């Protein structure tokens, strides 16, 4: 602002037009003076003709800025969002007559203060009213007690900001005087923004002070008549900003703002409403004199203004908060680049869009230089009103947010004149209007004690605590900048030491003892010794107690050992749901191997790949599934046909030779490269999970648990082993019962199931059926859901209201870590959140929300979720490169162990202020379909193998029931011989599991 004033003075006094950039390029005063001399010698002036009193005719147009506010008022008549309040506390003996005289003369001098806006035909026009005496009501509050007096004055001041104006009738300026005592008053002055701006307020205060001083002494007005009025400026602007001038200015902005994101997605406390309500609040910010001095010194060293330094820092903050690098911030400029309008009251202010690429690899020193160029370019093209810019650029418009930018930054560094009147002292008051035009607006001004100001924020989006944290982070960031401006902006500090301690350590204090020296099958064997006669397994009419199940598993384990199965050996399991399936799982572990679940419904190509890729030594299956088997090198063992031989083996326990570091199971997941990849889970991680689940389930762990999940889904492990290691009974379902919600409900009720694991979609179906059939599975005490976003629908809420004492646990954890966090919902289901968070880390798990530079992000800010602790998988089988990419060294280990690792989940999340994690989607193309993880890239890779297609892409969408579905968009290689949708579906059926096959195929023209 000061630089702009310098250039205005050069133009006004010396008659020379110079670009603002010259002031920065000629940093030395002597060089700048010589530049002025050269300009005086013959450089042609730029920036348009002189503004003079113009012949107005019958129609006086609105300026571009006025026209926008008029249009907004037509949409929302009387909205007080554009009321501009001013409060002044007056101490001393007040001459009321002189004050009213001063206000009357002020309105007479400035036509803008007696302007109204009316529609003439299809266009609005300004109409100047005749001068009249200014009326100022006086309210006496002196009779109230002092505390009540101040409170009432504050209430009236806020109330005054909300009283609407009628633009067509006026007046658009009003004053109200509150008398607090014989020698104390508060003057409340309110104007509509369409006739004033921030600079105008300074003009108003100075002129009222000068007029009051004169009239108090019986003197005439000391102020000279104004050479031009706002109406002259409006006409000049309309004439000047057209043709080549407008074209050149707009060309700059078109290029500068091309491709700019329409919305800065800051993390908010609530979803953005469909239309702005402009409800707002504000918080103060004060930066110490020491920090301010350091910022000034840094600015001088870098040949930038303090504004540029602060803007660069603010854009860094916004980038770190949003995770975006393309940051647009609005900033007002006084737009009084001509001396003839400096002393006018009117709506001159313009808004510039400062768009900066805040690249994370830049140092702050490099960034501030980039910001300087952005600012100088914007200042050189500031003549285009923001309203005209929006009209010409036609950005994506929405009632929910302002166009081009949603965050504003203001630095008021013009010198403030100290006002002193004979017999009176004046103090400006901050009046809380309760409104906000933008998501955020940070306004600072320089003072003798440092920078201070306020942050105005949308109350629809943010809580006070959130904005308070953000301002503290800005303060921390500024301190880090002055300490080390060469630091990369991605590594500059945001968090206070207390926050960092909380995020990294306090919320991850989960250490708990568990049997980490025992393998999973050893935990089962101990339980079998404790409760040999208790029922362990129920399948239809078949029952096995713990002793029987253990004996059968031991026989098969001995047989597997004879076939060479041992530690680090993989055994494939392709079994129908049966007692033999559970016996096989236990037997593989007892033999020391790791089981690899294979779904018989998978395409043969996929099954063959998994068996060969895992180098499975043995494949356990049943004779009825032989036809689905591909050709494999593994030894195939048919349990139903070979059991007579297996029965001859010993039923006694034996030492498997496996250690807690050896794998317990290998589960394949979808792969982004087009190939599925296998997650290797060691016994130690599995034992930690078992111990946690038993303690979490309490008595239900020893009750009946339904085994619902497919073995290919890691949740099946959580169903099976915490139950069998706690003395509970496992209830198996037939495949048809898994897929029919009515049959599922029947089994739960008949078998008196107490614990149930279901993905959300299955839980929703179960709730719907229970309501339709008017049945309630009263035996349930714990329901656990995982695999996809939990939604508390009305059906689900009503189901749990009918289940007395039943809790709902929301589990989160990718296959690479199994379970990582948990949130328990209990009590009145009507009070549960509609989209529950994913909770807190389980025992011995550590969870971090980090940005791209592996820096912890503040609470409330979205980042990528990283998981560490005991429950991590070893990595991906035979995929060292992918393992190193996803399992990274731990940057914040609790110990000095060099082997400490974190799993990079690819999930987005954020911590709430109280340490609860909220899921926020994916940062890649991975989706969850029916609880299974699907890498869209794998589906695309398979689809592109079809010879009849030239292009293919896959997207995910939610159907009306909230279920995730895949949609394929394809382009045929030859239009005349395009494959049919049935052909494409059959092609994929031979290569992918059914849950990965798109629900819809859409052909696009070539």
């Amino acid at each position: 602002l000061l630089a702009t004033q310098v250039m205005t003075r050069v133009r006004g006094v010396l008659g020379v037009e110079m670009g603002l950039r010259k002031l920065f390029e000629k940093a030395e005063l002597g060089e700048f003076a010589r530049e002025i001399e050269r300009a005086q010698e013959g450089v042609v002036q730029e920036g348009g003709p002189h503004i003079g009193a113009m012949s107005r005719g019958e129609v006086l147009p609105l300026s571009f800025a006025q026209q926008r506010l008029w249009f907004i008022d037509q949409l929302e008549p009387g909205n007080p969002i554009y009321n501009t309040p001013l409060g002044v506390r007056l101490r001393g003996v007040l001459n009321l007559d002189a004050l009213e005289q001063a206000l009357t003369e002020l309105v007479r001098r400035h036509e803008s203060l007696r302007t109204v806006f009316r529609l003439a035909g299809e266009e609005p026009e300004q109409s100047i009213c005749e001068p009249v005496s200014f009326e100022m009501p006086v309210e006496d509050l002196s009779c109230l007690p002092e505390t009540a007096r101040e409170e009432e004055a504050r209430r009236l001041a806020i109330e005054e900001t909300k009283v609407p104006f009628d633009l067509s009738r006026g007046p658009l300026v009003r004053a109200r005087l509150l008398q607090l005592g014989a020698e104390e008053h508060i003057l409340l002055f309110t104007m509509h923004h369409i006739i004033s701006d921030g600079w105008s307020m300074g003009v108003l205060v100075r002129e009222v002070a000068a007029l009051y001083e004169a009239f108090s002494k019986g003197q005439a007005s000391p102020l000279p008549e104004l050479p031009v009025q706002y109406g002259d400026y409006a006409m000049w602007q309309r004439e000047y900003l057209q043709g080549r001038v407008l074209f050149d200015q707009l060309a700059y902005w078109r290029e500068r703002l091309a491709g700019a994101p329409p919305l800065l997605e800051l993390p908010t406390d609530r979803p953005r409403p469909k239309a702005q309500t402009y409800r707002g609040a504000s918080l103060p910010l004060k930066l110490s004199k020491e920090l301010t001095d350091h910022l000034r010194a840094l600015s001088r060293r870098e040949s930038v203004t303090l504004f540029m330094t602060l803007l660069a820092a603010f854009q860094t903050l916004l980038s770190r908060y949003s995770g975006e690098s393309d940051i647009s911030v609005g900033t007002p400029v006084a737009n009084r680049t001509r001396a003839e309008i400096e002393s006018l009251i009117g709506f001159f202010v313009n808004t510039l869009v400062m768009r900066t690429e805040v690249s994370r690899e830049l140092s702050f020193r490099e960034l501030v230089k980039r910001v300087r160029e952005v600012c100088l370019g914007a200042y050189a093209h500031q003549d285009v009103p923001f309203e005209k810019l929006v009209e010409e650029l036609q950005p994506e418009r929405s009632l929910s947010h302002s166009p081009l930018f949603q965050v504003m930054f203001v630095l008021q560094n013009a010198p403030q004149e100290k006002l002193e009147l004979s017999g009176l002292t004046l103090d400006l008051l901050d009046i809380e209007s309760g409104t906000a035009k933008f998501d955020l607006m940070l306004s600072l001004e320089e003072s003798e004690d440092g920078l201070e100001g306020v942050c105005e924020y949308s109350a629809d989006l943010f809580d006070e605590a959130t904005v308070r944290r953000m301002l503290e982070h800005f303060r921390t960031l500024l301190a880090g900048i002055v300490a080390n401006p060469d630091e990369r902006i991605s590594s500059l500090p945001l968090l206070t030491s207390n926050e960092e301690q909380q995020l990294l350590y306090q919320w991850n204090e989960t250490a708990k003892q568990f049997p980490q020296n025992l393998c999973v099958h050893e935990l089962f064997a101990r339980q079998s010794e404790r409760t040999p006669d208790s029922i362990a397994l129920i399948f239809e009419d078949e029952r096995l107690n713990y002793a029987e199940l253990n004996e059968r598993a031991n026989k098969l384990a001995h047989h597997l050992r004879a076939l060479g199965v041992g530690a680090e050996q993989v055994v494939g399991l392709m079994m129908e749901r049966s007692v033999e399936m559970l016996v096989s799982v236990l037997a593989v572990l007892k033999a020391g191997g790791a089981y690899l679940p294979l779904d018989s419904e998978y395409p043969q190509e996929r099954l063959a790949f998994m068996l060969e890729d895992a180098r499975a030594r043995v494949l356990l299956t049943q004779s009825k599934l032989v036809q689905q088997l591909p050709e494999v090198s593994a030894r195939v063992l048919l349990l139903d046909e070979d059991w007579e031989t297996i029965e001859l083996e010993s039923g006694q326990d034996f030492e498997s030779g496996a250690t807690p570091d050896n794998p317990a199971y290998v589960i394949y997941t979808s792969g982004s490269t087009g190939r599925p990849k296998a997650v290797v889970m060691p016994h130690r991680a599995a034992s930690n999970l078992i111990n946690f689940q038993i303690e979490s389930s309490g008595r239900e762990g020893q009750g009946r648990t339904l085994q619902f999940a497919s073995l290919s889904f890691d949740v099946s492990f959580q169903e099976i082993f915490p139950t069998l290691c706690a003395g509970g009974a496992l209830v198996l379902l037939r495949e048809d019962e898994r897929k029919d919600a009515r049959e599922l409900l029947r089994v739960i009720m008949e078998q008196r199931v107490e614990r149930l694991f279901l993905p959300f979609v299955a839980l929703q179906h179960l709730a719907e059926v229970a309501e339709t059939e008017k049945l309630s599975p009263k035996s349930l005490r714990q329901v656990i859901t995982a695999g996809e976003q939990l939604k508390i629908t009305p059906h689900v809420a009503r189901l749990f209201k009918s289940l007395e004492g039943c809790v709902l646990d929301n589990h989160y954890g990718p296959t690479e870590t199994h379970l990582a966090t948990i949130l328990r919902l209990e009590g009145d289901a009507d009070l549960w959140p509609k989209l529950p968070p994913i909770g807190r880390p389980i025992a011995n798990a550590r969870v971090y929300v980090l940005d791209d530079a592996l820096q912890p992000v503040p609470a409330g800010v979205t980042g990528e979720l990283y998981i560490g602790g005991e429950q991590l998988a070893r990595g991906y089988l035979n995929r060292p490169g992918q393992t190193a990419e996803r399992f990274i060294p731990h940057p914040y280990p609790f110990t000095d162990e060099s082997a400490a690792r974190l799993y990079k989940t690819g999930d987005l999340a954020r911590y709430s202020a109280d340490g609860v994690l909220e899921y926020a989607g994916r940062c890649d193309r991975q989706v969850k379909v029916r609880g299974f993880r699907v890498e869209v890239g794998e589906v695309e890779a398979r689809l592109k193998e079809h010879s009849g297609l030239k292009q293919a892409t896959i997207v995910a969408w939610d159907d009306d029931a909230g279920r995730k579905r895949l949609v394929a968009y394809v382009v045929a290689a030859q239009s005349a011989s395009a494959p049919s949708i049935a052909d494409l579906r059959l092609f994929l059926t031979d290569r992918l599991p059914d849950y990965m096959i798109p629900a819809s195929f859409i052909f696009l023209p070539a």
Side-chain angles (χ1 to χ4, degrees), residues 73-130:
D73 189 74
Q74 299 303 297
L75 293 176
E76 299 180 74
N79 190 328
I81 183 65
Y82 287 102
N83 287 5
T84 306
L86 174 68
V88 182
R89 187 182 293 269
L90 309 168
R91 290 188 174 90
V93 179
L94 176 65
N95 186 330
L96 185 56
D97 290 338
L99 180 57
E100 288 182 328
Q101 266 186 283
L103 294 175
T104 297
E105 173 59 14
L106 181 79
V107 174
R108 186 203 66 79
R109 278 174 53 76
H110 294 274
E111 287 183 355
S112 56
L113 298 182
R114 40 192 173 90
T115 299
V116 294
F117 301 84
R118 300 187 176 113
L119 194 62
E122 295 183 357
E123 295 293 330
E125 66 176 19
Q126 298 189 56
S127 179
I128 312 299
C129 302
E130 291 297 319

Side-chain angles (χ1 to χ4, degrees), residues 247-434:
F247 178 84
D248 289 344
Q249 292 260 332
L250 285 174
Y252 168 83
W253 288 109
R254 282 196 186 97
E255 180 181 355
R256 187 79 197 98
L257 300 180
L263 180 64
L264 178 61
E265 295 279 10
L266 290 173
T268 61
D269 295 301
R270 285 168 293 282
R272 186 179 296 274
K274 293 182 179 179
Q276 288 176 282
T277 68
Y278 303 105
R279 292 191 315 108
S282 63
L283 284 172
L285 174 65
K286 184 173 176 58
L287 304 178
S288 69
K289 186 177 187 304
E290 180 184 15
L291 178 55
T292 303
D293 288 343
H294 285 313
L295 289 167
R296 289 194 185 107
L298 174 63
S299 303
R300 287 193 297 271
R301 289 196 301 272
E302 300 305 315
S303 298
V304 298
T305 64
L306 179 60
F307 170 83
M308 294 171 183
T309 299
L310 291 169
L311 175 61
F314 191 48
Q315 289 183 311
T316 298
L317 178 76
L318 297 175
S319 175
R320 295 277 292 272
Y321 257 68
S322 65
E324 302 294 331
S325 59
D326 193 343
I327 306 295
S328 293
V329 171
T331 191
V333 289
N335 203 30
R336 303 202 184 215
T337 57
R338 289 159 179 80
E340 54 267 37
I341 60 174
E342 279 191 27
S343 299
L344 287 183
I345 291 176
F347 187 15
F348 294 95
V349 67
N350 194 16
T351 304
L352 304 180
V353 184
M354 303 299 191
R355 181 189 182 190
T356 307
E357 182 65 25
V358 188
S359 304
R360 299 295 180 89
E361 68 274 8
L362 292 178
S363 69
F364 184 80
R365 197 185 299 277
E366 292 168 328
L367 176 65
V368 80
K369 286 180 170 59
R370 181 175 290 188
V371 168
R372 184 179 89 161
E373 292 307 304
V374 169
C375 291
L376 292 178
Y379 296 151
H381 300 86
Q382 66 176 291
D383 284 340
V384 179
F386 179 76
E387 298 72 28
K388 188 68 175 174
L389 188 62
V390 172
E391 177 186 328
E392 293 290 335
L393 297 184
Q394 296 186 338
E396 179 181 322
R397 301 302 299 268
S398 171
L399 293 175
S400 68
H401 59 81
S402 59
L404 299 183
F405 68 90
Q406 295 78 45
V407 177
M408 180 169 272
F409 178 70
V410 184
L411 176 62
Q412 176 59 263
N413 59 0
Q416 298 292 320
E417 301 176 21
K418 188 168 180 64
L419 297 175
E420 295 181 356
L421 301 178
S422 54
L424 282 176
T425 59
L426 282 67
D427 295 306
L428 294 180
L429 301 177
D430 291 326
I431 300 176
E432 174 66 66
S433 66

Side-chain angles (χ1 to χ4, degrees), residues 481-511:
I481 286 169
V482 298
N484 188 4
D486 291 311
E487 182 70 80
R488 290 202 318 174
I489 60 174
S490 59
S491 300
L492 285 167
L494 279 188
L495 302 173
T496 65
S497 57
N498 287 340
E499 280 182 302
E500 189 170 281
Q501 182 71 21
Q502 184 181 65
L503 288 165
L504 295 179
Y505 302 105
Q506 291 178 13
W507 288 347
N508 280 303
E509 290 178 351
T510 58

Side-chain angles (χ1 to χ4, degrees), residues 258 446 488 544 561 624 631 675 681 748 795:
E446 294 186 67
R488 290 202 318 174
L544 284 186
R561 285 303 291 268
K624 64 181 69 175
E631 291 187 13
R675 302 172 63 199
M681 188 62 67
I748 292 171
H795 288 294

